[in-house]
Amino acid sequence: ILEPGAISTVEGYIAGHPEISGIYADRNYYDVTMTHRLPQPTKVAAMQSDRKLVGRAETIFELLGEHVGYLSGNVIKRALWDQIVAEERDLSQFFNAWVHVYIMGRMMQRHPSWLYVAHPCVGWRSGNDSFLAEGMYKRLEIDVAGYDTITAALFGRSTAVYRHTMARILNHARFRIAHAKVHGAPGTFFTKARRLMTSYYRSNPSYWLTVYPLMLLPSALLRTARLAKSVKDKAAERKCEGVTQ
């Protein structure tokens, strides 16, 4: 959903920065009914306030790469988008749910001028991930293999921006594996997940210290931890609603 004043806010930014190639606007988080606000995740320091990002595509993508995957938060210059698409010989290799990230990455390389808007302009609904229709393993693969393919094609696998982006995707993967544990995914999921994750993160110490042990953790123990977190989140939600009122 659009938050109140979103259109005028974005129009104002476009009028003030006509040279930019795109805008990424932050979001509020809601439950599946879109009636209850959820606690906002902690932002990194670089995303605490509005920022104009210019000069290097690597710098822009390093900050926004995983975020621009959330299509509803993006406003892009259509003429440049159409130009990039017309010039690409074969986009089908990027038809992995994140093809828009690849095109925006090319836009950043062509004209590295982007705007990050810290003010939430859209509302994100949790609990309705349509990609899960193909199964939990496929959902995990979409993130890990998809961002690997796109970031490698844009910048190369030996670059700092590739390592940074894949490290951020590792955080998403940890969440998906924890979700699978809590919801009783079969052993075959974790066997395939270990094979997938190890193939991409074999040399990443964080994988071996956090994600790999998580796949071996008893489900009951993780469910208890998740229940405790849920109680804490609901208390924070009630506090947030009280402040809003």
Side-chain angles (χ1 to χ4, degrees):
I1 61 172
L2 289 174
E3 295 289 16
I7 296 295
S8 59
T9 297
V10 171
E11 286 178 336
Y13 280 113
I14 293 173
H17 302 277
E19 76 287 354
I20 58 175
S21 300
I23 296 173
Y24 176 75
D26 210 342
R27 50 185 150 161
N28 285 321
Y29 292 74
Y30 292 87
D31 68 353
V32 71
T33 68
M34 297 298 285
T35 56
H36 299 289
R37 279 271 301 275
L38 301 179
Q40 193 85 353
T42 302
K43 297 181 182 180
V44 297
M47 302 183 80
Q48 296 287 345
S49 58
D50 295 353
R51 290 189 63 184
K52 185 178 179 181
L53 305 164
V54 295
R56 296 181 70 248
E58 291 84 353
T59 302
I60 300 171
F61 195 89
E62 190 166 303
L63 181 65
L64 298 182
E66 65 170 306
H67 299 287
V68 296
Y70 178 59
L71 189 57
S72 301
N74 294 286
V75 180
I76 54 95
K77 183 169 286 187
R78 180 166 182 163
L80 182 56
W81 172 286
D82 289 344
Q83 182 181 349
I84 297 294
V85 171
E87 293 175 357
E88 288 288 325
R89 294 181 178 179
D90 180 19
L91 284 170
S92 63
Q93 61 184 307
F94 306 113
F95 290 169
N96 51 27
W98 307 123
V99 64
H100 57 288
V101 177
Y102 174 78
I103 298 171
M104 281 189 275
R106 286 294 186 216
M107 292 172 67
M108 293 171 190
Q109 291 174 329
R110 181 69 57 84
H111 187 70
S113 180
W114 224 264
L115 195 64
Y116 166 68
V117 175
H119 176 73
C121 291
V122 291
W124 173 84
R125 180 169 65 174
S126 66
N128 71 322
D129 191 337
S130 59
F131 293 139
L132 282 173
E134 297 184 71
M136 285 187 278
Y137 173 77
K138 182 62 177 177
R139 184 65 183 90
L140 179 67
E141 186 181 46
I142 283 173
D143 281 347
V144 177
Y147 264 86
D148 164 78
T149 298
I150 285 169
T151 313
L154 289 170
F155 304 105
R157 288 189 173 88
S158 63
T159 60
V161 62
Y162 172 85
R163 292 190 295 272
H164 176 87
T165 300
M166 291 303 289
R168 298 286 288 271
I169 297 303
L170 182 61
N171 289 332
H172 290 276
R174 180 164 57 239
F175 168 80
R176 301 205 182 284
I177 289 168
H179 178 85
K181 275 279 181 183
V182 169
H183 290 85
T188 53
F189 165 83
F190 297 102
T191 299
K192 293 170 68 177
R194 282 196 298 271
R195 189 180 304 122
L196 173 75
M197 297 299 294
T198 301
S199 68
Y200 286 98
Y201 291 102
R202 183 178 287 105
S203 60
N204 187 315
S206 183
Y207 165 66
W208 296 105
L209 291 172
T210 60
V211 178
Y212 190 84
L214 179 62
M215 290 189 277
L216 304 177
L217 194 69
S219 297
L221 184 61
L222 196 60
R223 287 193 193 99
T224 301
R226 178 63 67 89
L227 179 62
K229 183 178 183 303
S230 177
V231 171
K232 182 179 178 181
D233 286 348
K234 287 181 179 179
E237 180 185 336
R238 288 194 294 270
K239 181 179 179 181
C240 180
E241 289 177 345
V243 170
T244 302
Q245 293 172 358

